[in-house]
Amino acid sequence: MQLRKVTAASAAVLALALTATACGSDDKDDASGSGGKKITIGIKIDQPGLGLKTPDGKYTGFDVDVATYVAKELGYDAKNIEFKETKSADRETAISRGDVKFIVASYSINDERLQKVDFAGPYLLAHQDILVRADDNSITKPEDLNNKKLCSVTGSTSAQNIHDKLAPKAQLQEYGGYSECLTGLENKVVDALTTDDSILAGYAAQDANKGKFKLAGFKMTNENYGIGLKKGDADFKKKVNDALTKMVEDGSWDKAVEANFGPANYKNDPAPKIGNVVK
């Protein structure tokens, strides 16, 4: 009889412990942020000016600043944010699987992605542009890229878009990464580099590149960067949109743009109106 009482008591304690553990795991990414809980946010870690992990383990860039501001408005201190690298091909999977609470990673809103995830924002209107050497005045319009060596990274469609629509005689060069294109541009192996202007500005604003390059300002496409969210959570989407609206209204958005892109003389568009996707 005594053994049965001990066993029953032990079972009760075990059940209570299991219940507490289960509750704790469910609350890890609770939007209230109460109790010092953690939140996991997806970012890029290899895009200067947007999302970059520095050698000392810190995270910098406009996307990082936006993510940190939004998380704070949701109730999370910066120390409770866990940033997780989410490569372009993995973003929808990371959201749907719950690996991240949301993603801020130069994530353009388009119809195909809206079938799989929801977006808050947009929080930045970027455009496809080109980067040239600061002393090169020979390219003043997209058509001037004819017979020029135009660099982009392997797998990107940016250079091909220019070739197909604007400069059919452009000589396309594919490199493994943007840093290689920049080196080629600096050494006059290529004449221009193309991708989103926000990404180009981030590279040009790095200390090692200041004064070497300039953006042409062609604005060949519209890229509405949004915050990727799990599909169907309207309440959470509203909270994120409210945070973005506050970031614009209190001046934090402008400060983040200047801090991350200013050294490249990036002529950014004004902060987009939440919910207004520019085609």
Side-chain angles (χ1 to χ4, degrees):
M1 179 65 91
Q2 185 66 23
L3 180 60
R4 185 179 300 138
K5 286 182 179 178
V6 172
T7 303
S10 299
V13 171
L14 179 60
L16 183 60
L18 289 173
T19 300
T21 301
C23 290
S25 63
D26 287 344
D27 289 344
K28 178 185 177 184
D29 280 341
D30 178 71
S32 68
S34 60
K37 296 180 181 67
K38 305 289 185 181
I39 185 170
T40 304
I41 303 173
I43 60 167
K44 294 285 185 68
I45 65 169
D46 58 354
Q47 289 184 342
L50 285 166
L52 181 70
K53 186 176 182 179
T54 59
D56 59 1
K58 295 181 180 179
Y59 297 91
T60 65
F62 183 71
D63 282 350
V64 174
D65 290 346
V66 170
T68 302
Y69 188 99
V70 169
K72 181 180 179 181
E73 289 303 304
L74 294 174
Y76 296 93
D77 292 333
K79 64 182 180 181
N80 291 326
I81 298 173
E82 178 186 348
F83 287 116
K84 183 179 180 68
E85 180 184 13
T86 48
K87 296 182 179 180
S88 296
D90 301 329
R91 288 179 295 204
E92 287 84 17
T93 301
I95 292 172
S96 62
R97 196 165 54 197
D99 295 344
V100 296
K101 189 67 176 179
F102 57 84
I103 289 179
V104 192
S106 55
Y107 201 1
S108 297
I109 302 170
N110 62 38
D111 292 339
E112 181 181 353
R113 290 169 178 162
L114 283 168
Q115 300 299 314
K116 302 174 183 177
V117 299
D118 281 341
F119 283 97
Y123 64 89
L124 182 70
L125 177 58
H127 309 275
Q128 185 182 344
D129 201 354
I130 66 164
L131 193 71
V132 297
R133 291 180 293 276
D135 60 355
D136 185 354
N137 298 313
S138 67
I139 304 173
T140 60
K141 57 186 182 298
E143 290 76 13
D144 291 337
L145 289 165
N146 281 310
N147 300 313
K148 299 284 189 178
K149 294 179 181 178
L150 177 63
C151 190
S152 191
V153 299
T154 303
S156 170
T157 60
S158 298
Q160 193 66 48
N161 287 341
I162 292 176
H163 180 273
D164 292 347
K165 300 175 182 178
L166 298 169
K169 294 182 180 180
Q171 300 172 27
L172 306 188
Q173 310 286 317
E174 283 194 345
Y175 285 22
Y178 293 117
S179 295
E180 295 173 46
C181 279
L182 278 172
T183 300
L185 184 58
E186 182 178 5
N187 295 332
K188 299 185 179 181
V189 177
V190 298
D191 300 301
L193 161 61
T194 185
T195 187
D196 292 358
D197 53 7
S198 57
I199 297 173
L200 296 174
Y203 277 100
Q206 287 185 291
D207 288 340
N209 296 327
K210 286 180 181 177
K212 295 180 180 179
F213 308 107
K214 63 183 178 182
L215 279 81
F218 291 160
K219 297 187 176 183
M220 292 175 281
T221 63
N222 294 321
E223 307 294 338
N224 298 272
Y225 289 179
I227 295 182
L229 312 168
K230 192 169 186 178
K231 200 163 183 63
D233 192 342
D235 289 341
F236 187 65
K237 178 178 177 178
K238 183 180 184 304
K239 290 178 182 179
V240 176
N241 275 334
D242 288 346
L244 289 174
T245 299
K246 183 177 178 181
M247 185 178 187
V248 173
E249 291 176 347
D250 69 12
S252 297
W253 188 91
D254 287 318
K255 291 179 181 178
V257 168
E258 177 59 29
N260 292 292
F261 303 127
N265 294 317
Y266 175 45
K267 303 297 190 295
N268 63 283
D269 285 63
K273 183 178 178 181
I274 301 301
N276 182 26
V277 177
V278 179
K279 299 294 187 180

